[in-house]
Structures are given as C-alpha cells and as structure tokens.
Amino acid sequence: MLCSASSPTPPAGGHAAADHHARLRSAAARSDLPGALAAFAAMSSSASASPVLRTFTSLLKLCAARADLATGRAVHAQLAARGLSAESLAATALANMYAKCRRPGDARRVFDRMPVRDRVAWNALVAGYARNGLAGDAMEMFVRMQEEDGEQPDSVTLVSVLPACADAQALGACREVHGFAVRASFDELVNVSTAILDVYCKCWAVEVARSVFDRMPDKNSVSWNAMIKGYAENGDATEALMLFKRMVGEGVDVTDVSVLAALHACGELGYLDEGRRVHELLMRIGLESNVSVMNALITMYSKCKRTDLAGQVFDEVRYKTRISWNAMILGCTQNGRSEDAVRLFSRMQLKNVKPDSFTLVSVIPALADISDPLQARWIHGYSIRMHLDQDVYVLTALIDMYAKCGRVSIARSLFNSAREKHVITWNAMIHGYGSHGFGKVAVDLFEEMKSSGRVPNETTFLSVLSACSHAGLVDEGRKYFSSMKDGYGLEPGMEHYGTMVDLLGRAGKLDEAWSFIQKMPMDPGISVYGALLGACKLHKNVELAEESAQRIFELGPDEGVYHVLLANIYANASMWKDVARVRTAMEKKGLQKTPGWSIVQLKNEIHTFYSGSTNHQQAKDIYARLAKLIEEIKAVGYVPDTDSIHDVEDDVKAQLLNTHSEKLAIAYGLIRTTPGTTIQIKKNLRVCNDCHNATKLISLVTGREIIMRDIQRFHHFKDGKCSCGDYW
Ligand code: ZN
Ligand code: ZN
C-alpha cells in the first residue's frame, strides 16, 4: 500500500530531493508502480523533498495503466489531504484512473467537482470510458462536453468515441459523430475517417463505410485493412478479395490484418488459386512466423478441400497453438477424412496440448462418421473428464454421434440430461429419430419443442420432414411444410422441396409430387427430380420416370446414379432396348456407376468389403459362411430378388446378388463375433431390395440384431423384421 511502502531511510538534503524526483520519474517511465511508490514514500518522509502535483499525476497514470484501484484510491486520499484533488491536472488524472479501473461513477464524481474543465479533461474521460467498453458513458460525455461547457470535440475526442459507437453498435450515434466530423473538416484526417468507416463496418453498414473509404483523399494501410476486414466480417468475401487485390496492386503495405481477411475470403469462396497467391505473398513479406496467419492458411486450404496442402502448412508451423490443431482437425472432419481427424486428436494429446470445446466439436463428428460405439463411449467419457460435456455444442455433437452409432436411446438420455438446449440440440435429436425410422417419436419431439417455446429453424423442418418421409407420415409432412412459411416465416429451400417430393413419392402420390414440383417458386434441382425418380422405381411408373430423368439429364449430373436408376426402371418393365440406350448414353458421357462398399465394425478394427471382392484374407471362410446362410434363409422362405440385374442368366444373377458387399460384411461379422453380439454395418449406397430382404431373414435364423446404416437412414434388423417397416 501507499503509506506502508518500505524504503531505506532517505538521506536528508536538497541533493536527495532531486534524487527522489528523478527516481520517481524513471520508475514511471519504466511503468514500475512499486518503484514509483517507494520513491514517493521516501519523498513524503523526507523533510526537504515534498511531492508536487506532477508526482501524483504520474502515480495515477501508473495506477490507471495497471487498473490498480486500491493504490489509485490511496493517491486520491493523499491529494485530497493536500487539498489538490480539484486541481484541473489532478482531477483529470483521477477521472482517467477511475475510468480505466472501471469505476465510471467515481470518475464522474471527480469530474463533476472540477471548477474548470478543459478539453483534455473531457477527452480523458471519453477515452477512458470508450476503452473500457463503457460505450454509453463515452457517448454521453461526447454530447455533454458540447452542451455544458461549449467545448468542441477535437480529432482526439472523435477517435476515442468512435470505437465506443462500434462496441455499442450504435449506428445512429456513429452518424452523428460522422456528421460532426464532416462539418468540422476532421474527416480529412486519415485516422478520423478510418475510425468512422470502421464503425460503419461494425454496425453492418458496409456500403456507407465504402463511400467514406472512397471519398478519403489519403488512405493508409490501416484504412485498407479496416475496409477489407469490414467486407470479410460482413460476409462479402468477393468484395473483400477484390479490394485486397487492389491494395496489393497499389503498393500499399500489406499487414496480417488484411492477409487474414483475404485468406478468410478465399476459403469462403473456395478460390484455391487466389488462396495460393495470398500464401506466396505472405511468405514474401515474412508473415510465416505469425501463427494466426498460418492457422488461417490451414483453414483456407481445408475449405478449398485441399487437406493435403493444409497438412503441409500445419507441419511447417513450429510453435503450434491449440487453434492450429483445431483448424487441422476440423479440416479433416469436414473433408470426410475422419480417421485422420481422430489420429490428429490423439497426436495433440501426446503433445500435451489441452483440447477445448471447439476441439471436441471438431473431432466428435469424425467419430460419428466412423461410428464405432467403443470410441464413441471413450470420447464421451473424455468430455466428462474435461468438464466439457455440458457445453451445449459438445453435448449436441455427442447426441448426434450416438444417434449415428445406432445408439438412439443413449442419445435420448443425454438429451434429457442437458441443462441447456439450443435449437441445434433439438435438431440433432429429431434428426436422430428420423434417420432411425422413429418418425412418430420425431414428430412428438418436434411438438414438444414448439410447446417449450423453442422456435424451430430451417434445419429443424428439414429433419422433421425427412422423419415424416421415412415413416410415411404424409399428412403431418404436408402440414409442417405449409407451417414453415405461414407459422414461422421461413422460406423453404431446395432441400425442403426435395424432401417433400420424396415424402409424397414414397407414399405413392406421384401425381401430387409432380404437380408439387410444377408449383415450386424456384427451378427444381437434381435432388428434387432425383427424389421423384426414386419414387418412380418404387412404384414402377415408367412414364413419370422418363419425364423426371429427362429433366435430370438436362441439368448434367456428374455421377451415373440416375442413369442406373432409369435403366433399372426400364428393366423392371422389360423394356430392354431402352435399358441398352440409357447405358450407352451413360458410357458416352463417361459417367460411372458408384462401386458399392460396406464396412463391418468389430471391436478394435473395421473391415471394408467391395461387392464381389475376393481379396480378403479369410475370403474362403466368408464365402462358405455366406453359402450356408443362403441355404438357411431359403429354408425360411428367401427367394432371391433378381429384378435389379437383368442382362445375365438367372443363376448368375443370384450369384451376383450373393456377393453384394453388405452380405459379405454380415457373413464376416458372424464369423468374428460371439453369438448374440449385435452386428454393425455401414454401406455407402442405399441398401438394395434383395439384401434388405436377406438381412431380415438372417436376423431371424441367427438370432442376431443387425444395424445397417446406409446412405439414407438406419435399418435395425431383428427377428426377421426391419425398423424401417420396408419403407426406405
Ligand atoms: Zn444388395
Ligand atoms: Zn430397413
């Protein structure tokens, strides 16, 4: 404390007095508050060297800088004891100290007691408030200084008060300050105009900011940075990038601020070439040692789907921060490189970098994609140990993960235990139920969500519509679709239309689906006609299938799946010439049929099978087990469904069906697990009719539960039945 500060007994005499002042000045220059206090104490107890006003103001400055309220108060007491506290210089320093110690009331009291207040005093207070996030107080002072004392703000006042307008997002106040600046010709000063355009950007008025920017006679690097960052933060990546290129072209000094904004813009736009050019540029100006810039580079390459380049940058960063790891893990997860994401997460722990909630939210979806229940349980336990399991984003990711691992009931108990539920939490649970075919439960939960006062968003509707579709709840689906706009003012997007067409189509209401498409307010995309084409296959409607396929082909799909679908529809109707025609067209366009694969999940390993593959170590055993299985299910009524393959002889067809990847995966799962164990399969396409049928009977004859996740949804096979009710 101030008065108890110990110091050696000071030597007496005038020489020592000068010495005390010099000691205090040098301590103040070093921002050394204890040193300054010691000098002050020595001075106070010395007979010849009494503190002068400047002594106190330099002490107060140090207290303000360190936000040391207790010492500041003690200095205030000393000043008051000497009757100096109303002196203009002292009071200004006191007000500044209180403002910076976040005591606006005390600052105001000191200030109000000042008999004479000059602009420096007002500015000190405005700046003190503004820098401490007390935007309202700063604005009030800005107005009062003009009204009460007739004191005109100067450029210092403006540059102090403007950031406060930005913090409060006070667009009106900003306009006023801007108007004042123009009238007083302060807008010609580059720092004032830059501060003004910065506030407009932060108040989402980026167009106004741009007009300020364009009218500036002189611009410096800070002005360019503020404008580019403003565009990036307002979501206008194109303009941000354009301006960045102009900045480089005009030879303005580029700094990390504009490079960060440019990298962000390239990532948003997916502009790999532009991103690479910014990469080269930042290397030239020596920003490769700036870890924030390197992290932004990792994110940019990831967003441009080049995790290989992101990985190179990541490896080059010598002192990786947690943000570097997070960026790389998220990049892998979002680009489908789930195993790499998990590996990185383990490496991060070996390096003793402590994960945060963002890390978990980035790695959990990777584990959801791998859908290994053991690993799922592990990361859940880990989240609990890190005290992050009640973070609403982590919890939502966990719910989604358990649902994707086929453990819907665990997902539900997590959902119930959540202290806080966001709309995303509800969405994850509703989607989880829908994808497992529990359409009714999904709908009930949706109703519960609405009655709890939580407002659904576009994603909620997509999940609930898709749940209705998988469960054949046509009336509910129709009702929810129209309530989107009528009840919640949400505009349905392409995906919502696609899901509605799917819903109507699956339920056999093909004509309604067709007229629904005709009434769409936007041009229907491939996904919409694709949903109808799928329904046409299910309900064997060749005419509408041709119509839909025609529209799809006009839109130029880049995969062969729709050609295959149409060929199959023709084949079902024995229209062989048309089958051949579609296949030729497909070959001409160079489109390929996506090869099917399935994964079976065993305790600590996963095994991938391609249809017809014989290169597995235990291929012989697998095929033998499969042959035996087919005999067993034939005994309970299995008839191979050869409808889907038509250009080969019947027994060959059966052979081909029997080598579908999911059947191989199931056979291997049966070999490798003990009786009673649930078998977990993941398939990259929609499961075919024949495999679906066979799997139901396999669950019956083996007494096993089989959970199959295909590209559309989950199927729980048990006792000869599937949870989808043969509706998928
Ligand atoms: Zn199959
Ligand atoms: Zn099913």
Side-chain angles (χ1 to χ4, degrees):
M1 280 309 293
L2 192 60
C3 299
S4 62
S6 65
S7 68
T9 317
H15 178 70
D19 203 41
H20 291 316
H21 285 290
R23 259 177 72 201
L24 197 136
R25 266 200 307 281
S26 89
R30 291 193 312 270
S31 300
D32 172 13
L33 182 60
L37 287 174
F40 176 78
M43 202 184 286
S44 308
S45 55
S46 148
S48 58
S50 58
V52 294
L53 197 56
R54 187 159 292 284
T55 315
F56 292 104
T57 55
S58 29
L59 281 177
L60 286 169
K61 226 182 187 167
L62 288 176
C63 296
R66 299 162 60 118
D68 184 343
L69 182 63
T71 312
R73 282 222 163 102
V75 176
H76 188 177
Q78 295 272 347
L79 274 168
R82 288 170 168 80
L84 290 172
S85 55
E87 283 285 333
S88 175
L89 267 181
T92 304
L94 277 170
N96 181 46
M97 182 275 293
Y98 281 123
K100 288 191 178 151
C101 291
R102 310 191 64 83
R103 307 290 300 198
D106 290 334
R108 181 76 49 88
R109 257 189 299 285
V110 173
F111 189 77
D112 288 345
R113 271 190 227 122
M114 286 173 74
V116 187
R117 294 172 295 202
D118 58 6
R119 188 154 59 204
V120 179
W122 283 104
N123 281 355
L125 208 61
V126 170
Y129 283 147
R131 271 190 226 130
N132 284 283
L134 302 163
D137 294 283
M139 282 304 300
E140 192 193 328
M141 285 298 161
F142 179 77
V143 177
R144 272 181 58 192
M145 77 187 280
Q146 301 171 62
E147 285 176 357
E148 288 176 20
D149 287 3
E151 198 68 73
Q152 283 303 304
D154 61 3
S155 66
V156 177
T157 329
L158 294 180
V159 186
S160 302
V161 79
L162 281 163
C165 300
D167 286 344
Q169 300 218 335
L171 185 58
C174 174
R175 283 211 184 95
E176 267 174 52
V177 179
H178 183 195
F180 174 85
V182 171
R183 285 192 301 279
S185 297
F186 284 127
D187 61 329
E188 284 161 20
L189 298 170
V190 63
N191 60 337
V192 172
S193 277
T194 301
I196 289 172
L197 82 84
D198 191 42
V199 184
Y200 278 125
C201 287
K202 286 177 179 148
C203 294
W204 312 111
V206 71
E207 298 299 319
V208 189
R210 180 58 185 262
S211 69
V212 173
F213 179 81
D214 285 340
R215 256 184 263 130
M216 285 171 75
D218 301 307
K219 303 178 185 77
N220 58 20
S221 178
V222 184
S223 334
W224 285 87
N225 285 347
M227 196 61 235
I228 293 169
K229 190 167 172 240
Y231 275 122
E233 284 174 357
N234 279 268
D236 193 342
T238 310
E239 200 59 46
L241 196 58
M242 214 127 82
L243 205 59
F244 178 77
K245 287 200 281 194
R246 226 182 90 194
M247 179 183 186
V248 176
E250 294 189 11
V252 186
D253 279 343
V254 172
T255 67
D256 55 340
V257 179
S258 40
V259 165
L260 284 170
L263 288 174
H264 177 81
C266 293
E268 287 299 302
L269 298 166
Y271 286 177
L272 179 65
D273 291 343
E274 300 279 0
R276 280 189 147 149
R277 273 195 280 278
V278 181
H279 188 174
E280 283 163 21
L281 173 83
L282 71 88
M283 298 297 274
R284 270 205 307 279
I285 59 176
L287 281 175
E288 74 269 26
S289 56
N290 182 321
V291 69
S292 304
V293 169
M294 296 313 264
N295 294 344
L297 204 51
I298 294 170
T299 300
M300 183 277 291
Y301 280 130
S302 300
K303 287 202 174 154
C304 293
K305 304 191 190 310
R306 288 298 299 266
T307 38
D308 56 330
L309 298 176
Q312 279 173 22
V313 175
F314 179 75
D315 290 339
E316 280 164 22
V317 180
R318 254 182 90 192
Y319 301 105
K320 296 178 183 54
T321 60
R322 174 162 59 205
I323 298 172
S324 324
W325 289 94
N326 287 355
M328 197 60 227
I329 292 174
L330 183 66
C332 287
T333 300
Q334 289 180 336
N335 284 287
R337 289 177 51 181
S338 304
E339 257 103 36
D340 288 335
V342 177
R343 255 194 293 278
L344 273 163
F345 180 68
S346 314
R347 248 178 76 196
M348 177 179 184
Q349 285 171 300
L350 288 177
K351 298 268 178 198
N352 282 320
V353 184
K354 197 174 162 224
D356 60 2
S357 58
F358 192 86
T359 322
L360 291 180
V361 171
S362 305
V363 75
I364 293 171
L367 289 164
D369 183 48
I370 296 169
S371 46
D372 171 1
L374 275 181
Q375 288 196 59
R377 226 170 296 150
W378 180 84
I379 196 84
H380 182 193
Y382 183 85
S383 311
I384 295 172
R385 287 196 296 282
M386 299 298 286
H387 303 288
L388 289 170
D389 60 311
Q390 279 295 336
D391 175 283
V392 67
Y393 296 97
V394 173
L395 186 86
T396 302
L398 288 171
I399 290 171
D400 187 58
M401 174 189 71
Y402 274 120
K404 289 197 171 125
C405 292
R407 303 290 192 272
V408 203
S409 54
I410 303 181
R412 182 58 192 256
S413 60
L414 272 187
F415 178 81
N416 290 345
S417 76
R419 270 181 238 141
E420 193 192 356
K421 291 185 190 103
H422 276 197
V423 61
I424 56 165
T425 321
W426 288 91
N427 291 355
M429 197 63 239
I430 292 171
H431 180 78
Y433 279 128
S435 66
H436 284 276
F438 303 119
K440 190 78 187 60
V441 192
V443 164
D444 287 347
L445 196 63
F446 179 59
E447 290 297 336
E448 195 185 319
M449 172 184 185
K450 288 192 289 181
S451 53
S452 80
R454 183 59 75 178
V455 181
N457 63 14
E458 284 93 343
T459 312
T460 324
F461 276 101
L462 196 58
S463 298
V464 79
L465 288 175
S466 137
C468 291
S469 171
H470 285 306
L473 303 169
V474 180
D475 291 340
E476 285 86 345
R478 277 201 204 102
K479 189 180 80 187
Y480 290 143
F481 183 81
S482 56
S483 83
M484 241 185 114
K485 203 172 171 180
D486 301 344
Y488 295 92
L490 297 169
E491 204 58 58
M494 190 69 81
E495 284 176 305
H496 298 95
Y497 282 97
T499 309
M500 272 310 283
V501 170
D502 190 57
L503 170 93
L504 296 169
R506 278 167 197 271
K509 303 186 181 304
L510 294 178
D511 291 333
E512 188 182 340
W514 181 258
S515 63
F516 181 82
I517 295 177
Q518 305 314 312
K519 280 183 232 142
M520 277 176 67
M522 62 193 92
D523 289 334
I526 290 180
S527 59
V528 175
Y529 285 115
L532 190 60
L533 189 60
C536 289
K537 168 149 192 283
L538 191 64
H539 298 287
K540 304 190 194 315
N541 185 327
V542 177
E543 200 186 325
L544 214 46
E546 283 178 326
E547 195 87 51
S548 315
Q550 188 53 41
R551 308 291 167 101
I552 293 173
F553 298 158
E554 280 165 13
L555 293 168
D558 49 13
E559 18 166 33
V561 48
Y562 301 107
H563 287 81
V564 173
L565 204 51
L566 183 63
N568 281 338
I569 293 169
Y570 282 135
N572 277 337
S574 305
M575 299 163 72
W576 307 113
K577 269 188 194 153
D578 296 293
V579 173
R581 185 171 50 80
V582 175
R583 294 222 166 140
T584 314
M586 185 175 158
E587 273 163 28
K588 257 191 200 156
K589 286 180 194 160
L591 297 170
Q592 304 254 324
K593 187 176 171 176
T594 318
W597 52 255
S598 295
I599 285 173
V600 62
Q601 197 89 53
L602 300 171
K603 222 166 205 164
N604 284 313
E605 40 195 289
I606 55 169
H607 289 258
T608 308
F609 292 90
Y610 290 88
S611 293
S613 70
T614 51
N615 54 5
H616 194 277
Q617 286 174 344
Q618 284 173 268
K620 248 180 109 183
D621 301 336
I622 295 167
Y623 279 96
R625 183 77 181 91
L626 188 57
K628 196 168 152 256
L629 262 182
I630 300 294
E631 288 313 312
E632 284 170 27
I633 58 176
K634 271 184 180 162
V636 289
Y638 170 66
V639 181
D641 168 20
T642 50
D643 262 9
S644 27
I645 321 170
H646 286 275
D647 33 15
V648 278
E649 297 300 319
D650 260 4
D651 54 335
V652 185
K653 277 187 217 167
Q655 196 60 42
L656 279 175
L657 282 171
N658 288 346
T659 60
H660 271 187
S661 63
E662 51 269 61
K663 292 203 188 85
L664 297 174
I666 292 171
Y668 187 61
L670 287 170
I671 294 174
R672 287 289 308 274
T673 53
T674 50
T677 314
T678 300
I679 294 174
Q680 193 124 1
I681 308 282
K682 188 168 135 191
K683 155 119 196 165
N684 71 326
L685 304 170
R686 223 184 252 213
V687 55
C688 84
N689 238 330
D690 182 70
C691 287
H692 194 268
N693 213 359
T695 309
K696 283 198 292 186
L697 295 171
I698 291 172
S699 76
L700 180 71
V701 299
T702 60
R704 298 285 194 108
E705 203 176 326
I706 301 166
I707 299 177
M708 192 186 290
R709 170 181 177 185
D710 75 3
I711 191 149
Q712 287 281 330
R713 55 169 297 147
F714 282 86
H715 303 264
H716 292 243
F717 297 95
K718 200 182 170 189
D719 302 329
K721 288 196 192 86
C722 180
S723 64
C724 72
D726 299 335
Y727 196 90
W728 80 95

